[in-house]
Amino acid sequence: MNTPADQARRQLAQTARRKDAARRTGLAWATGAGLGLGLLIVMLLDYGLLLPVAIRVLAASALLVGLAAGLRRWFRLKHHSTPLKEAALDIESVSPDLGCEISTAAEYLSGKRTPSGPYESELAAALSQRTARVASVETVPYRQRLSLPGLLFGGGVLAALIGFFVVAPQSGVALLRTVAPWSAARFTGLIVEPAGGEFPVGHQLTVTNRLSGRIPKTVGVEWRAQGADRWQLQTVPVLSNAVAFHAWAVSTSGTFRIRAGDTLSAEYPVLAYVPPEVARLTLRLIPPSYAGLPELRQSSPSITALRGTRVLFELEGNVPLGQAELRLTHGSVMALKPAGSNLWQGELTLSKDAEYAIVIADAHGRPATSNSARHPIRALPDQPPTVEITEPGEDIRADPDEIIPLKVTASDDFGLESITLVYHVLGGPEQRLEVRDRHLKDGQTIGAAVLRLGTLQLKPYDVVSYYAEARDNNTLDGPGIGRSPTYFIELTDRSGPPPSKRKGQPQQRLNLIAIQKGILADTTATTTTARVATNAFEDLSRRQREAREFTARYQQKLESMSAPKAAQFALDEALEGMDEAARALDKKSPREALPSEEKALAALYRAIKAMPQLKNLPTEPELSEKPPEDSPPEPQPPQVVLEAIDKKPQKPANADELEKALEEAKALAKAQSELATQMEEEGQGEPPGKPQKSPPAPKPGQGEGKEGETGKPGESKTPGKPGKPGQPNPGQGSQPGSPGEPSNNRPGQTPKALADQQQRLQQQARKLVEKIARLSGQEAREAQAAGKRLDAAAQHMSQAAEALGDGRSDAAGSSGALAAAGVQSAADLLSRALGHKPERTDVSAEEAPRQFEERISEYFRRLTRAQ
């Protein structure tokens, strides 16, 4: 039964429960706010002062105690409910007009007071009824009184915490350091490179410290040497990119660590060791046996020796080695073998130019710091011999039974095995004649032989081709073979034009005989040349087709004139041979082209034999019309109409620049000639300007003519062309600038001063070569040839300067004279390129020091043939 007392009791109990809930909520917020405030305070202190671990542990402990006290009080409120009278008093406080009615009723309802007097039961029932009615209406604001203060306090602390986490960097680290003070969380992040290791003594060790988080202004580097107790501190500034560097030369082993802000790195060991090095290196160079060179020893790692030389390596390390090897640039590795006492040995045979590195490591596998050093290997090739036919040294005309004296000059760097004369009638088999009569002179082998034409059973208008071949003693990858230019002996009518002069003349301005001879000689040269220029065969093929066009024009002209059939048939055969030769040259097959070229040349001579008025086929002849049948044909000399075949040469577009180059070449030639005279005087061992002593009288037998020399008065007894006037003896009279006359050059110059002057002239020659190469162009072949001759002259200048530096004045004078001749020849070619057409002189007749005249003549012959 629901009585007023039960209703009142239920209403008061509900009010008491609302109060209990508000009190617990307020306590929870207050406790949380207190803990948050304490946490914020500790984090701020640690963030600014970097609290040590002990203080942070103490603060964390205090926070835990506060949390425990709050939880204890909260649980006490949960288990102890508010009394009914307290709830009634709270209602009376909200409505003071109630007086004590509600609290008195609460006492009756809770059993603290019982009705005992008359009417007291009715009073208690009335109070209960009123309490039930009032408690259901009146509401006490417990949330505003008990929960709101704690809620506001907690909200403020929470806002402060959120602001700290948002504004302060590394706030999460501060929280972690506060709630877990034993953790390794740090405000400053640190990465150390390298983290210790093994380093050679003297190595510049650079430690890189990369920082993150809170960046300090400085970083402390602490070092402790091996066996020491104390740390040595050195402060290093932090750069703007949050990196700090510290470098020092490693001298001893030890340990280092880095202190940055609140971070202390681990300890990194540094082990110092003595790096392995080559303490002693010995190289034994053993040349090939055929060279006859002595064995050499050297300590320098750079190698320059003859190809095929055996190089024996022996090295010793400063510490015990565990590895030693040679690494070459082409990828091969040659391991050295231990030979006791820390010695390592190996052998290498030179085959080509390369570079190598000596790679060593100590017994622990630690490499040397010098392993990356590269050393050059220069394998000098055994050059093939050079050979020249100095007499007659040109195309000649002879009778079928004539005996032709020949003089051959050959040289090789390591000796000659044989010199052979190779000759044959065009279209016939080759024959070989060994040159046995030979002797050494000035480092060259000079030989003589006779060519007996009577043994060849020659007929009129036959042509004999011949050249000299020299073989060296190279048994390693040889023998090396050198060949002289090819010359021709014509058996033509002596009343006709002389044999064509091929040297020093552009082939497009010559006759067909000379053109075909030049093509045949150049094709023969390609059969022995080790490296043929890439465009050599294209040039030969082009020249052969140009010769074919000339021949075809002759053929058309002869057909229109009803010339003798024999001449026409011969030109047909020449055209056929030229076509075959051009096709073979297109295929870069010189041996296939040679028979066809010889066939064409022999056919041209047969055409001349059938029609003598063609002479040497200078160009397209303009002959008279067919003569009357009753009158014998009279020879008509051909007229040179080169302008009708070739276009008139145009003046080079860069003529002004070539004119300047010509003037520079003339000045350089004059200066080199004067310097060569000084070097000649220096080589004679007398000061410049002092008269030369007369040469000693010739020994018995000297000066007598040999086979092939005329021996006539006024003719030369020295090597040269037959029939050329001999040069005057230096002791017989005097020439301007010769040792017999006072020199116009500066007297008393030392060899060093002469060498310096020669080097300056060499530099001028090199610059002039570059200038001509830029200016000549394709339209001036003579200008290009002048550049080649200047380049060769510059090489002779370099040899002269080197000889002066070594004290070899004789060799310096020889090279200087060759350089002067080469520069003058280049000046003549530049003049001809500009259309000046200078007078060309025969070098064998030029005045020159007797000790150099043969080499100068040979030099000019080689230059003119190379053109």
Side-chain angles (χ1 to χ4, degrees):
M1 183 174 181
N2 191 9
T3 64
D6 294 334
Q7 293 180 1
R9 188 181 295 108
R10 189 167 50 252
Q11 292 294 334
L12 289 177
Q14 186 177 0
T15 301
R17 286 195 297 271
R18 288 201 306 272
K19 183 176 182 177
D20 290 340
R23 292 176 66 181
R24 290 195 299 269
T25 302
L27 178 62
W29 276 102
T31 302
L35 293 175
L37 181 60
L39 180 65
L40 179 61
I41 293 173
V42 175
M43 287 192 297
L44 289 174
L45 291 175
D46 187 32
Y47 193 84
L49 302 177
L50 298 178
L51 299 177
V53 176
I55 295 179
R56 286 186 282 118
V57 169
L58 183 62
S61 301
L63 292 176
L64 290 176
V65 170
L67 176 61
L71 291 176
R72 179 173 177 275
R73 186 177 179 187
W74 189 87
F75 279 108
R76 287 183 61 187
L77 290 176
K78 185 176 181 62
H79 292 90
H80 294 82
S81 301
T82 301
L84 297 178
K85 183 177 180 179
E86 184 176 347
L89 292 173
D90 292 336
I91 295 173
E92 292 174 349
S93 65
V94 175
S95 301
D97 55 333
L98 295 177
C100 297
E101 296 177 358
I102 305 301
S103 58
T104 303
E107 290 179 356
Y108 285 112
L109 293 175
S110 61
K112 290 183 178 181
R113 177 184 294 185
T114 57
S116 59
Y119 309 106
E120 190 172 357
S121 298
E122 290 79 358
L123 179 63
L127 290 173
S128 296
Q129 185 176 3
R130 181 172 175 78
T131 298
R133 185 173 61 253
V134 171
S136 63
V137 175
E138 296 292 340
T139 302
V140 181
Y142 288 121
R143 290 185 179 180
Q144 288 82 359
R145 293 181 180 181
L146 301 178
S147 299
L148 185 59
L151 182 61
L152 293 176
F153 180 40
V157 172
L158 180 61
L161 286 173
I162 294 174
F164 174 74
F165 287 125
V166 171
V167 174
Q170 302 291 310
S171 55
V173 176
L175 176 62
L176 183 60
R177 286 166 55 87
T178 302
V179 300
W182 56 86
S183 69
R186 298 291 182 269
F187 288 109
T188 302
L190 175 64
I191 299 177
V192 180
E193 297 175 350
E198 297 180 344
F199 303 96
V201 173
H203 175 73
Q204 194 72 12
L205 176 59
T206 300
V207 176
T208 303
N209 306 290
R210 305 185 186 278
L211 305 175
S212 61
R214 183 185 296 179
I215 309 300
K217 295 182 178 180
T218 59
V219 167
V221 180
E222 300 180 358
W223 167 263
R224 184 175 63 189
Q226 189 175 15
D229 296 331
R230 300 184 61 183
W231 292 90
Q232 299 177 1
L233 175 63
Q234 185 172 357
T235 302
V236 179
V238 179
L239 303 180
S240 59
N241 57 350
V243 177
F245 298 98
H246 179 61
W248 75 93
V250 176
S251 58
T252 59
S253 299
T255 305
F256 74 93
R257 64 187 182 184
I258 307 299
R259 187 182 296 276
D262 63 332
T263 301
L264 180 63
S265 71
E267 296 182 1
Y268 303 112
V270 174
L271 177 61
Y273 67 92
V274 177
E277 298 291 343
V278 177
R280 182 177 61 85
L281 176 66
T282 302
L283 274 64
R284 292 176 55 199
L285 308 180
I286 305 176
S289 58
Y290 79 86
L293 298 176
E295 176 183 326
L296 298 178
R297 287 178 177 265
Q298 66 180 50
S299 58
S300 171
S302 300
I303 302 173
T304 300
L306 179 64
R307 186 171 55 199
T309 298
R310 295 167 52 218
V311 183
L312 305 182
F313 289 84
E314 182 177 276
L315 64 85
E316 179 181 1
N318 61 333
V319 296
L321 300 180
Q323 176 191 8
E325 62 186 20
L326 305 179
R327 294 182 182 177
L328 282 77
T329 50
H330 50 72
S332 61
V333 177
M334 189 191 76
L336 303 182
K337 299 180 180 179
S341 300
N342 205 24
L343 293 177
W344 294 72
Q345 296 177 345
E347 179 178 335
L348 177 67
T349 300
L350 303 186
S351 59
K352 59 182 178 181
D353 292 349
E355 289 184 344
Y356 75 99
I358 302 176
V359 179
I360 60 175
D362 62 12
H364 299 282
R366 296 176 292 216
T369 57
S370 60
N371 282 348
S372 59
R374 311 296 298 180
H375 310 292
I377 296 177
R378 186 182 178 193
L380 302 177
D382 185 354
Q383 300 292 345
T386 59
V387 59
E388 294 285 343
I389 300 177
T390 57
E391 292 185 11
E394 61 184 356
D395 297 344
I396 62 174
R397 176 184 292 156
D399 295 327
D401 57 350
E402 191 170 344
I403 298 176
I404 309 298
L406 304 173
K407 182 172 288 187
V408 181
T409 301
S411 63
D412 187 69
D413 41 9
F414 300 108
L416 292 169
E417 179 185 4
S418 65
I419 303 176
T420 306
L421 185 67
V422 182
Y423 62 98
H424 71 287
V425 182
L426 293 187
E430 282 189 349
Q431 301 186 45
R432 306 178 73 87
L433 175 64
E434 185 173 356
V435 179
R436 301 184 182 274
D437 181 12
R438 58 187 189 183
H439 62 279
L440 288 175
K441 181 180 179 182
D442 296 333
Q444 292 186 329
T445 300
I446 300 177
V450 293
L451 181 59
R452 302 179 185 276
L453 301 182
T455 61
L456 299 177
Q457 300 179 356
L458 300 174
K459 302 183 294 296
Y461 287 91
D462 277 348
V463 179
V464 177
S465 167
Y466 69 98
Y467 62 87
E469 180 181 279
R471 293 174 178 259
D472 63 13
N473 294 319
N474 185 354
T475 58
L476 179 67
D477 54 1
I481 300 176
R483 287 186 179 178
S484 71
T486 301
Y487 297 103
F488 300 92
I489 302 175
E490 302 177 0
L491 278 75
T492 56
D493 186 3
R494 291 186 181 272
S495 63
S500 304
K501 302 292 185 180
R502 288 180 288 124
K503 57 179 184 177
Q505 301 179 6
Q507 292 182 356
Q508 67 269 24
R509 296 300 181 194
L510 300 180
N511 51 71
L512 273 177
I513 295 296
I515 293 175
Q516 192 61 29
K517 282 181 180 179
I519 295 172
L520 180 57
D522 292 344
T523 304
T524 304
T526 61
T527 59
T528 56
T529 304
R531 294 181 179 179
V532 182
T534 54
N535 59 345
F537 290 107
E538 296 178 4
D539 182 65
L540 285 172
S541 177
R542 177 185 55 79
R543 289 162 54 190
Q544 185 64 85
R545 286 184 167 85
E546 290 176 356
R548 192 217 182 271
E549 292 180 5
F550 283 123
T551 307
R553 294 182 184 182
Y554 267 102
Q555 176 70 319
Q556 293 173 3
K557 189 67 175 179
L558 293 182
E559 288 180 357
S560 65
M561 297 168 49
S562 299
K565 294 297 183 181
Q568 297 185 41
F569 291 156
L571 290 183
D572 286 338
E573 188 174 355
L575 290 173
E576 181 181 352
M578 292 177 181
D579 288 337
E580 295 173 353
R583 288 193 293 269
L585 291 172
D586 289 339
K587 296 187 294 184
K588 299 181 180 181
S589 177
R591 298 189 183 278
E592 182 181 347
L594 284 174
S596 300
E597 293 174 358
E598 292 183 1
K599 172 183 175 181
L601 182 58
L604 292 178
Y605 275 103
R606 288 199 299 274
I608 296 174
K609 178 180 178 181
M611 194 174 179
Q613 57 265 51
L614 292 176
K615 295 186 179 293
N616 55 4
L617 302 171
T619 181
E620 182 178 349
E622 292 184 1
L623 299 179
S624 60
E625 295 299 329
K626 180 177 179 181
E629 295 182 358
D630 55 350
S631 62
E634 296 182 0
Q636 300 290 333
Q639 300 180 5
V640 178
V641 288
L642 202 56
E643 293 78 9
I645 298 178
D646 293 332
K647 292 183 179 179
K648 186 176 181 180
Q650 299 294 327
K651 185 177 181 181
N654 44 22
D656 294 339
E657 289 80 359
L658 287 176
E659 288 282 3
K660 295 179 183 178
L662 174 59
E663 295 302 322
E664 293 181 17
K666 289 179 178 179
L668 183 61
K670 181 179 179 181
Q672 181 62 32
S673 178
E674 295 175 355
L675 182 60
T677 302
Q678 277 192 283
M679 289 190 288
E680 174 195 348
E681 294 172 353
E682 177 68 24
Q684 293 172 353
E686 300 180 359
K690 184 176 180 179
Q692 181 185 8
K693 296 180 181 180
S694 300
K699 296 181 181 180
Q702 290 183 347
E704 298 180 1
K706 297 183 181 180
E707 184 178 359
E709 298 177 353
T710 62
K712 295 179 183 181
E715 294 188 356
S716 174
K717 302 294 184 181
T718 60
K721 298 181 182 179
K724 296 285 183 181
Q727 301 297 328
N729 216 334
Q732 300 172 358
S734 60
Q735 300 290 339
S738 69
E741 286 285 328
S743 174
N744 295 327
N745 295 293
R746 292 176 291 175
Q749 290 201 67
T750 63
K752 183 178 184 304
L754 293 175
D756 294 340
Q757 187 176 355
Q758 182 64 89
Q759 289 177 352
R760 290 193 293 271
L761 293 180
Q762 178 196 357
Q763 293 174 358
Q764 296 178 16
R766 293 291 187 194
K767 293 180 180 178
L768 189 54
V769 169
E770 296 176 358
K771 182 176 182 180
I772 293 174
R774 292 193 302 267
L775 299 178
S776 60
Q778 296 295 329
E779 71 278 1
R781 181 175 299 177
E782 292 86 351
Q784 296 177 357
K788 294 180 180 178
R789 295 195 183 183
L790 271 175
D791 186 64
Q795 295 179 7
H796 286 296
M797 293 179 186
S798 175
Q799 295 171 3
E802 182 179 354
L804 285 170
D806 296 340
R808 297 183 286 108
S809 299
D810 291 340
S814 175
S815 298
L818 290 175
V823 176
Q824 182 59 51
S825 176
D828 292 343
L829 284 173
L830 287 174
S831 180
R832 188 168 62 190
L834 291 165
H836 295 173
K837 299 185 178 179
E839 292 291 334
R840 302 301 303 272
T841 58
D842 189 351
V843 177
S844 62
E846 289 182 356
E847 293 181 358
R850 292 182 61 85
Q851 64 268 37
F852 305 142
E853 66 178 359
E854 183 175 347
R855 294 190 63 186
I856 292 176
S857 298
E858 176 190 354
Y859 174 64
F860 264 108
R861 282 192 291 271
R862 191 183 308 114
L863 283 177
T864 53
R865 289 179 194 127
Q867 183 184 357

